[in-house]
Amino acid sequence: MNVYDSERMADVLRPLGYAPTDTPDGADFVILNTCHIREKAAEKVYSELGKLRQMKEEKAAAGQGGMTIAVAGCVAQAEGEEIMKRQPAVDLVVGPQAYHQLPELLTRTARARGERIGADFAPNEKFDALPATRGTEGVTAFLTVQEGCDKFCTFCVVPYTRGAEWSRPAAAVLDEARALADRGVREVTLLGQNVNAYDGEGPDGNPFTLAKLAYALADIPGIERIRYTTSHPNDMSDDLIAAHGDLDALMPYLHLPVQAGSDRILRLMNRKHGRQKYLDLIDRIRAARPDMALSGDFIVGFPGETDRDFEDTMDLVRRVNYASAFSFMYSPRPGTPAATMAAQVPDAVAKERLHALQALLTEQQVAFNRSLAGRVLPVLFEKKGRHGAQAIGRSPYLQSVHVEDADQLIGRIFPVEIVSGQQNSLSGRLTQTN
Ligand code: SAH
Ligand code: SF4
């Protein structure tokens, strides 16, 4: 979501004559787009700001003019005032629902430092104000369709930083997708904190589901692949599951976080479903789309988690058999209910659990990648590889696929015979070239 937002910030600033640079050295304007989800991400902001301050001073000392520094994203939203206090080099902070105001903020900051614009705006104002054309390059693109969250899992800051759940009208999403297709985009990944809770206004004024949106997107000439992330198990509706069975453009890869495998911990997390409901859901999804590759998010060391609870997580992972997954040590976030729960798990215990879980998840990922050897998969070629005429593409299951002598195919989908699977990618060869 931050990648999407950063691209859109560039779109907003382009008419003012700004163009993206590869490094911040010497830039006139630097925006640090930040994440507040875990403490580590938030802490990084201050160390990055220290480096930027030095660059700013060096640029001024060399007589090369000023450097305006902005902090955007969820850390700006949650800690804007503290950032201004702790790092005087920062000129402005802008929350995730207000970045469309960057041009205006830039002119204001010339007058007075510290006029803070927060996220006290509705997301529709932001999306209405964003330019219709995007500067996106490449054959895949993110497209935000839903923002915010009302679920209030007890560990999570998202409902506080991104605000309430809100979906963009289908017409706006479809227009943006058409513009992307015109620029050569073949695969769109629909984004939302709870993307499958999407209920934006449909063409007849009634709410559209994510499944309906997917069908409408698949009708756009040029859009050949559709993905979406992140989904919540409780919003995995029947029509979306059915769409996976009959809409070819909907890719057989689903990121469906469960966080933990113990009913007790799921309850403490306020996830509003138990382990069996998740396992049954996986069965129904696999019944609709037998080759569905599953991915998930896991938190270990949630307050009160015992060895027994953790074993339930390991057991759930063994039952589901994930194609890939993200796992994290619980990080207490200010203002969330879990941060003040008793029985915080010692770091050393959480670390040990994380290692065990990651070893199992890696084993499953490697096994899945290896199991594809010998299969012929449609690959969307995205970019040149590191050497010669190698090209890198994506399988339906989201793995990177390296193929020799394929750079002339970038932007197109071609059948590739998978030769081998490694931990993080596949190698393949073309079975036909025209
Ligand atoms: N809406 C998505 C998750 C968005 S946050 C969902 O409900 O599944 C992305 C991931 O960050 C979460 O799935 C969770 O695994 C992790 N996460 C969120 N808060 C965290 C915290 N306080 N500590 C550790 N991991 C956290
Ligand atoms: Fe955070 Fe996801 Fe829970 Fe919402 S549903 S509170 S975004 S973890």
Side-chain angles (χ1 to χ4, degrees):
M1 195 166 266
N2 271 10
V3 171
Y4 176 86
D5 288 347
S6 297
E7 285 179 10
R8 299 305 265 150
M9 288 179 207
D11 291 340
V12 166
L13 294 166
R14 201 166 287 114
L16 275 70
Y18 287 96
T21 62
D22 291 334
T23 64
D25 317 75
D28 299 315
F29 186 26
V30 179
I31 309 171
L32 205 56
N33 195 12
T34 62
C35 176
H36 202 237
I37 199 80
R38 283 173 293 277
E39 196 178 353
K40 224 180 181 171
E43 270 172 2
K44 238 165 108 178
V45 173
Y46 293 99
S47 57
E48 286 300 317
L49 283 176
K51 288 185 218 159
L52 289 175
R53 174 196 181 160
Q54 207 175 340
M55 281 181 203
K56 183 175 184 157
E57 286 168 0
E58 281 164 12
K59 191 175 178 222
Q64 288 165 354
M67 176 190 277
T68 304
I69 298 178
V71 182
C74 289
V75 182
Q77 178 60 29
E79 302 177 12
E81 265 136 47
E82 197 190 332
I83 293 170
M84 286 300 223
K85 242 189 270 156
R86 270 175 70 174
Q87 185 45 272
V90 174
D91 298 287
L92 57 104
V93 290
V94 55
Q97 303 306 359
Y99 62 74
H100 59 294
Q101 304 227 340
L102 277 169
E104 191 197 327
L105 283 169
L106 272 173
T107 58
R108 274 204 236 163
T109 193
R111 295 205 307 268
R113 173 185 181 258
E115 244 181 295
R116 175 173 173 246
I117 292 278
D120 321 321
F121 292 90
N124 58 336
E125 285 179 31
K126 172 181 71 182
F127 283 108
D128 286 349
L130 294 176
T133 49
R134 288 177 54 179
T136 318
E137 282 169 21
V139 294
T140 63
F142 290 127
L143 206 179
T144 292
V145 302
Q146 183 277 331
E147 283 205 6
C149 180
D150 300 331
K151 292 201 163 53
F152 291 92
C153 299
T154 53
F155 53 80
C156 185
V157 286
V158 169
Y160 311 96
T161 53
R162 286 258 172 190
E165 229 169 74
W166 179 81
S167 299
R168 293 176 72 185
V173 174
L174 294 169
D175 281 349
E176 196 170 323
R178 271 183 219 107
L180 289 170
D182 288 345
R183 292 187 74 95
V185 169
R186 296 290 160 262
E187 176 180 303
V188 287
T189 301
L190 310 178
L191 299 180
Q193 287 301 335
N194 286 301
V195 71
N196 55 345
Y198 177 83
D199 66 350
E201 187 189 319
D204 62 355
N206 291 317
F208 234 36
T209 60
L210 188 65
K212 283 188 183 156
L213 188 64
Y215 280 100
L217 284 162
D219 282 341
I220 295 176
I223 300 295
E224 298 186 56
R225 291 179 162 193
I226 300 162
R227 303 179 186 276
Y228 57 91
T229 199
T230 293
S231 298
H232 192 286
N234 287 353
D235 293 316
M236 207 63 215
S237 58
D238 290 342
D239 69 337
L240 187 55
I241 296 174
H244 275 287
D246 69 12
L247 186 57
D248 285 342
L250 207 48
M251 290 293 100
Y253 173 95
L254 180 62
H255 184 63
L256 196 61
V258 65
Q259 315 298 353
S262 144
D263 279 332
R264 210 176 63 81
I265 296 298
L266 287 169
R267 220 172 12 250
L268 288 171
M269 285 178 163
N270 191 33
R271 289 293 288 183
K272 302 192 180 87
H273 68 79
R275 65 181 267 128
Q276 197 52 49
K277 186 172 167 200
Y278 182 81
L279 291 169
D280 291 347
L281 178 60
I282 300 291
D283 285 346
R284 285 198 288 133
I285 293 165
R286 283 187 166 143
R289 181 80 208 218
D291 68 334
M292 182 71 89
L294 286 153
S295 159
D297 287 345
F298 297 90
I299 296 176
V300 299
F302 185 84
E305 186 186 68
T306 61
D307 285 343
R308 175 81 203 277
D309 294 318
F310 175 64
E311 200 32 61
D312 284 347
T313 298
M314 295 290 275
D315 178 72
L316 179 139
V317 170
R318 282 186 207 103
R319 280 166 201 256
V320 173
N321 196 10
Y322 288 91
S324 74
F326 303 91
S327 44
F328 314 99
M329 252 166 70
Y330 168 70
S331 166
R333 308 306 293 129
T336 60
T340 50
M341 282 180 187
Q344 299 281 324
V345 174
D347 260 21
V349 175
K351 236 177 228 160
E352 207 174 296
R353 289 178 188 162
L354 187 67
H355 286 152
L357 175 61
Q358 289 185 337
L360 176 60
L361 290 166
T362 303
E363 196 184 297
Q364 294 187 343
Q365 179 171 328
V366 171
F368 176 64
N369 290 351
R370 287 195 182 144
S371 75
L372 296 172
R375 290 264 307 276
V376 175
L377 301 178
V379 169
L380 170 59
F381 286 99
E382 278 184 66
K383 57 186 178 195
K384 278 178 74 64
R386 240 182 274 158
H387 41 84
Q390 191 188 54
I392 303 175
R394 253 189 236 197
S395 78
Y397 312 110
L398 203 61
Q399 297 124 318
S400 291
V401 188
H402 298 252
V403 183
E404 304 303 323
D405 298 320
D407 63 345
Q408 75 283 9
L409 298 178
I410 288 168
R412 296 167 66 190
I413 296 175
F414 255 79
V416 168
E417 185 189 342
I418 304 305
V419 177
S420 64
Q422 296 83 42
Q423 183 171 328
N424 295 310
S425 64
L426 308 176
S427 305
R429 63 170 161 252
L430 290 172
T431 56
Q432 65 179 76
T433 48
N434 52 43

